[in-house]
Amino acid sequence: MGMSVTISAAREQDAEQILKLQYLCYQSEAELYGDYTIEPLTQSLDDLTAELARGHGLVARLGDEVVASVRGCADAEGTARIAKLVVHPRLRHHGLGGRLLDAMELHFTSDPAVRRLQLSTGHRSEGNLRLYRSRGYTPVVTEQAGPRLRLVTLEKAAPSGTYAASA
């Protein structure tokens, strides 16, 4: 193969590739919960583009192909919400999700106003839960999001000064 994966800020012109990747990656989640109407599968290109403009997005590229993505935004209360971390099925289990999550944390924790990092996943999504717990996130709330889906919200404090000094 010879190519390495690079991580960079998502651009508006990446939106279509991100949406296609998101659709592919969330098929397994939809199957796990028996619900193909989950928001990542019904999101429009316009909505995704607007989401990128409101917050921060990162992509991982293998050559010109977007093979992983994550998005997030920070609110006025100092909470950075990280969402829609997806990795192409053929590249899973090689640390790419963790690299993207680390890069997103670095982005948000370089802002001294960000006091906590938060993300959510389904209660049966063991791989996601394992990754998030390995990065220091702990469950703070679980809410019913559908007939078979409970969303687990996990959180951790933003390390003060740790990332800002190295950014």
Side-chain angles (χ1 to χ4, degrees), residues 57-78:
L58 293 173
V59 294
R61 295 179 205 289
L62 185 59
D64 292 332
E65 179 187 6
V66 173
V67 294
S69 176
V70 65
R71 301 191 290 279
C73 62
D75 65 21
E77 288 77 43

Side-chain angles (χ1 to χ4, degrees), residues 78-100:
T79 300
R81 288 182 177 78
I82 300 170
K84 296 185 179 101
L85 174 61
V86 295
V87 176
H88 195 287
R90 76 175 191 270
L91 295 174
R92 289 182 183 156
H93 309 294
H94 294 286
L96 189 50
R99 284 179 55 200
L100 268 179

Side-chain angles (χ1 to χ4, degrees), residues 13-124:
Q13 59 263 38
D14 295 325
E16 190 172 341
Q17 278 194 70
I18 293 169
L19 188 63
K20 288 177 181 177
L21 179 64
Q22 175 178 301
Y23 188 82
L24 172 67
C25 292
Y26 273 92
Q27 294 297 314
S28 58
E29 292 293 300
E31 183 177 345
L32 184 61
Y33 296 102
D35 184 356
Y36 288 84
T37 64
I38 57 176
E39 190 268 342
L41 294 181
T42 61
Q43 186 174 31
S44 72
L45 182 58
D46 288 343
D47 286 346
L48 188 145
T49 302
E51 195 176 304
L52 286 172
R54 279 191 311 271
H56 183 65
L58 293 173
V59 294
R61 295 179 205 289
L62 185 59
D64 292 332
E65 179 187 6
V66 173
V67 294
S69 176
V70 65
R71 301 191 290 279
C73 62
D75 65 21
E77 288 77 43
T79 300
R81 288 182 177 78
I82 300 170
K84 296 185 179 101
L85 174 61
V86 295
V87 176
H88 195 287
R90 76 175 191 270
L91 295 174
R92 289 182 183 156
H93 309 294
H94 294 286
L96 189 50
R99 284 179 55 200
L100 268 179
L101 183 55
D102 291 345
M104 187 60 85
E105 288 180 3
L106 176 64
H107 168 78
F108 283 121
T109 57
S110 66
D111 178 351
V114 171
R115 298 189 326 259
R116 79 187 128 280
L117 302 162
Q118 202 173 73
L119 38 74
S120 298
T121 192
H123 70 287
R124 293 184 194 151

